[in-house]
Amino acid sequence: MSMHIEAKMGDIAPSILLPGDPERAKFIAENYLQDPVCFNRVRGMYGYTGLYKGQPMSVMGTGMGIPSMLIYATELTRDYGCKRLVRLGTAGAFDPDLKLMDIVLSQATSTTSAINDYILPGHFAACADFELLDKAYHLGRDRGLRIFAGNTLCNDHLYIDDKPAYAAKWAAYGVIASEMEGTALYTAAARYGAKALTMMSIVVTNFGGDGSHEGGVSAEDKEKNLIDMIELALDTAAQ
């Protein structure tokens, strides 16, 4: 048992999906896993294990932001031996070619966070596992999904006063979208010998000059209607 997860050894599958919202984890377990069993309720961060297409599969919420993800990704890999971790979440588009509900695979993460700066004598390049990235990309293309892979930004700040100018600076260097957890996931996976991928659905585009946004989707869509991405994440994480 770790400090933040009450599961016993063997309760969590080697393959696990990591949505930020614990309610989304519950939704996935109840709708996609056979005979799901809840292994964690600590801090309301629900985790479940069941079968997906005959294979053990787990799903667990991680909360928002780099510190929260780093706690759970570390404990899942270090203490429970998880080997294939797929985060599924939402992102804001920096690339103007991205449309609402497009799927972005984070090939690598730039970041505004300093979490790794005091650990290593340089700047760690947090990147996805190529096997998972390649599998997800080709599965998505075969299903006719609008799917993109590229460098993404892992932000400490959600609300930024001059979002259009901020986004434009990153976009000029090929950064296509912004989220808040990927660097932590890739760092923990690298440290403890696991494979990881961050997969996101675009829910915000066209940043307004006052820091607001246009073209967003409803909370209900974000939580329950991202079916294509959920199914892609499950099939990517499965052995």
Side-chain angles (χ1 to χ4, degrees), residues 9-210:
M9 286 300 298
D11 287 350
I12 306 177
S15 297
I16 186 168
L17 301 192
L18 300 174
D21 190 339
E23 290 294 335
R24 188 178 299 146
K26 183 179 180 182
F27 173 82
I28 293 170
E30 292 176 346
N31 289 275
Y32 289 94
L33 300 187
Q34 179 183 348
D35 302 323
V37 175
C38 184
F39 63 75
N40 190 69
R41 295 183 178 87
V42 175
R43 296 176 179 260
M45 205 60 69
Y46 302 129
Y48 300 84
T49 297
L51 294 177
Y52 178 71
K53 296 184 177 179
Q55 300 180 26
M57 179 73 69
S58 294
V59 58
M60 181 178 173
T62 61
M64 290 188 289
I66 289 173
S68 185
M69 170 59 86
L70 189 59
I71 287 171
Y72 290 112
T74 296
E75 294 182 7
L76 287 166
T77 53
R78 183 193 65 191
D79 301 335
Y80 292 97
C82 291
K83 293 299 182 184
R84 297 165 67 88
L85 301 90
V86 177
R87 158 168 152 68
L88 63 162
T90 56
F94 285 172
D95 186 332
D97 290 334
L98 289 173
K99 299 178 180 179
L100 290 175
M101 309 306 285
D102 283 351
I103 294 175
V104 168
L105 307 177
S106 177
Q107 183 175 1
T109 61
S110 299
T111 186
T112 59
S113 171
I115 60 161
N116 291 322
D117 290 355
Y118 69 95
I119 298 175
L120 296 165
H123 300 290
F124 178 66
C127 57
D129 173 74
F130 180 76
E131 176 192 342
L132 294 181
L133 178 70
D134 183 64
K135 182 179 181 181
Y137 181 78
H138 285 97
L139 282 174
R141 290 290 297 270
D142 290 345
R143 295 174 185 184
L145 303 178
R146 281 180 53 88
I147 190 163
F148 300 81
N151 193 357
T152 59
L153 175 64
C154 190
N155 253 317
D156 272 345
H157 291 272
L158 178 62
Y159 300 113
I160 297 168
D161 290 339
D162 192 3
K163 186 71 74 74
Y166 180 81
K169 289 178 181 179
W170 289 103
Y173 285 83
V175 176
I176 62 175
S178 175
E179 53 90 43
M180 300 185 72
E181 291 83 23
T183 294
L185 174 62
Y186 290 171
T187 295
R191 175 63 181 84
Y192 296 105
K195 299 178 179 183
L197 176 66
T198 290
M199 178 184 302
M200 300 160 288
S201 182
I202 295 298
V203 295
V204 176
T205 61
N206 303 324
F207 291 110
D210 59 356

